[in-house]
Amino acid sequence: QLLADGRFHSGEELGAVLGVSRSAVWKCLRRLEEEYNVELFRVPGKGYRLAEPLSLLSYELSAAALARLGWQLHFRQTVDSTNAEALRLLRSGAAAPLVVIAESQTSGRGRRGRAWVSPASQNIYYTLTLKVFDGPQGLSGLSLVVGLAVLHALRRAGIQNAGLKWPNDIYADGKKIAGILLELTGDPADVCHVIIGIGINVNMTSSAKDIGQPWTSVRAQIGVMADRSALVNFLSEALHCYMERRMHEGFSSLRVEWEANNIWQGKRCTLSTGTREVKGLVLGVDEVGALRLLVDGKEQRFSGGELSLRLDHDS
Ligand code: ATP
Ligand code: BTN
């Protein structure tokens, strides 16, 4: 936190503020470099500075904003996955609605067990856990509504060119900027919980490796470093508002809004179901959030967790 401003701080000054020796400061900074991959410059006579300033999350600001919504915050510096942490919290008796936010994830995950690249202090790793009362139908359109909420939060952060890709990806400028992972726990026939994981690329730079597809970040889009705490609060408010609308009016009331933000509305796409590929024109979504495709002149509807949509090259 002391170094977050990106300016030089001498070992002596850092040691004095923290009440430790200069060599303890040095050891601590080496851990920062090695364990958290934070790039640090050391200049004799000047001290230490980060290669770039950091926008750190604020527990106080996020907890206060969430408390206003009636949601409880569990903040972690590092965690394997905020979704995994939410599941552990539920199993240890924590009550939903609860939110887990972390500065970094060591095993962030996407759909189908794929890794979600989660460097420290650059992005948002956010999980909201809610109780689901009416079985699987209580989930209809949920992931699409979460996408709308993320889009709304991104717009408040200055991103005007973002859109949604069915079922739950957010793209800006043709590249992935955020992803959503929904996991269900408990007995779907009885009371269960849905764990809604959201990853938003905020200040991540090109130094991020191992991302197997084109990606972007808020910073890359708006050209300046974004305030992560403010974006966390925009996200919480948007989620709360869209969840309320879904609860009172159902997904069908949000369907037109979803289609208006669908990046591939009216385009020719290929849907992979795992066992086969279906080519069709994207008509939109139905009242429960299933994808509507025009295949050989007939409308077909698709839903389920293993489906994946790709834009056809000629579209
Ligand atoms: P689908 O179209 O089926 O949703 P997808 O490739 O968009 O597929 P997943 O199948 O959920 O999404 O897999 C996660 C993908 O996200 C992986 O391809 C991975 O390379 C990519 N990825 C990992 N970390 C990030 C990140 N921080 N930002 C953007 N993309 C990422
Ligand atoms: C996707 O594949 O598009 C979904 C990515 C979801 C990533 C988020 S980051 C917070 C939460 N914790 C995880 O391990 N995954 C989700």
Side-chain angles (χ1 to χ4, degrees):
Q1 281 177 344
L2 293 171
L3 289 167
D5 59 10
R7 301 216 178 108
F8 276 109
H9 296 267
S10 70
E12 208 168 5
E13 173 204 331
L14 295 172
V17 178
L18 297 170
V20 298
S21 68
R22 279 167 56 187
S23 70
V25 167
W26 158 236
K27 277 187 199 149
C28 189
L29 292 177
R30 276 190 52 192
R31 269 193 64 202
L32 205 62
E33 282 184 299
E34 286 161 15
E35 288 178 31
Y36 293 91
N37 278 323
V38 172
E39 205 186 337
L40 201 66
F41 296 133
R42 223 170 273 110
V43 176
K46 284 183 142 182
Y48 306 92
R49 81 166 176 84
L50 297 178
E52 297 202 294
L54 284 178
S55 164
L56 294 176
L57 295 176
S58 155
Y59 169 80
E60 286 75 21
L61 283 182
S62 302
L66 286 172
R68 285 195 290 274
L69 306 174
W71 295 350
Q72 209 194 346
L73 174 63
H74 298 261
F75 185 82
R76 305 285 183 261
Q77 281 299 328
T78 305
V79 79
D80 49 355
S81 147
T82 51
N83 273 28
E85 182 70 356
L87 183 61
R88 284 189 292 269
L89 283 162
L90 278 180
R91 289 192 172 146
S92 66
L98 64 87
V99 171
V100 181
I101 300 174
E103 278 282 6
S104 76
Q105 296 186 123
T106 53
S107 303
R109 55 195 194 218
R111 297 203 305 155
R112 285 164 291 203
R114 290 183 182 153
W116 184 256
V117 173
S118 310
S121 303
Q122 295 186 23
N123 299 329
I124 288 175
Y125 316 113
Y126 184 112
T127 295
L128 166 66
T129 301
L130 298 172
K131 221 172 188 174
V132 182
F133 294 95
D134 39 0
Q137 74 207 38
L139 295 171
S140 85
L142 181 63
S143 71
L144 279 68
V145 175
V146 175
L148 279 173
V150 175
L151 197 63
H152 188 89
L154 285 171
R155 292 210 170 121
R156 276 185 79 186
I159 305 271
Q160 300 306 334
N161 60 346
L164 300 164
K165 185 194 125 187
W166 190 89
N168 49 13
D169 288 338
I170 295 91
Y171 274 61
D173 193 21
K175 294 170 268 194
K176 188 152 163 170
I177 192 167
I180 298 162
L181 175 68
L182 256 62
E183 295 176 301
L184 202 59
T185 176
D187 179 358
D190 194 9
V191 173
C192 60
H193 287 91
V194 63
I195 296 177
I196 305 167
I198 300 166
I200 305 180
N201 296 333
V202 186
N203 290 323
M204 189 159 71
T205 58
S206 54
S207 60
K209 300 190 177 63
D210 306 325
I211 301 186
Q213 62 172 313
W215 63 272
T216 188
S217 64
V218 176
R219 179 182 177 178
Q221 293 299 312
I222 63 175
V224 290
M225 187 168 281
D227 180 337
R228 289 161 70 231
S229 266
L231 186 47
V232 163
N233 289 357
F234 295 161
L235 178 63
S236 300
E237 286 164 16
L239 281 167
H240 191 267
C241 170
Y242 275 95
M243 290 300 149
E244 291 274 301
R245 279 188 63 189
R246 180 180 167 276
M247 188 166 75
H248 296 300
E249 300 160 29
F251 173 71
S252 53
S253 71
L254 292 161
R255 178 179 155 181
V256 171
E257 184 178 340
W258 197 92
E259 288 181 347
N261 288 290
N262 179 11
I263 54 171
W264 293 343
Q265 186 78 15
K267 303 262 186 209
R268 276 189 298 279
C269 289
T270 300
L271 183 75
S272 305
T273 66
T275 52
R276 67 189 177 116
E277 295 208 325
V278 184
K279 281 187 174 294
L281 188 91
V282 177
L283 296 176
V285 290
D286 71 7
E287 54 292 334
V288 292
L291 179 72
R292 296 190 298 126
L293 273 187
L294 188 69
V295 184
D296 299 330
K298 271 198 176 156
E299 182 179 320
Q300 290 188 23
R301 296 181 181 201
F302 300 87
S303 60
E306 297 302 304
L307 302 176
S308 179
L309 199 61
R310 293 278 174 273
L311 186 68
D312 287 352
H313 290 304
D314 58 351
S315 192

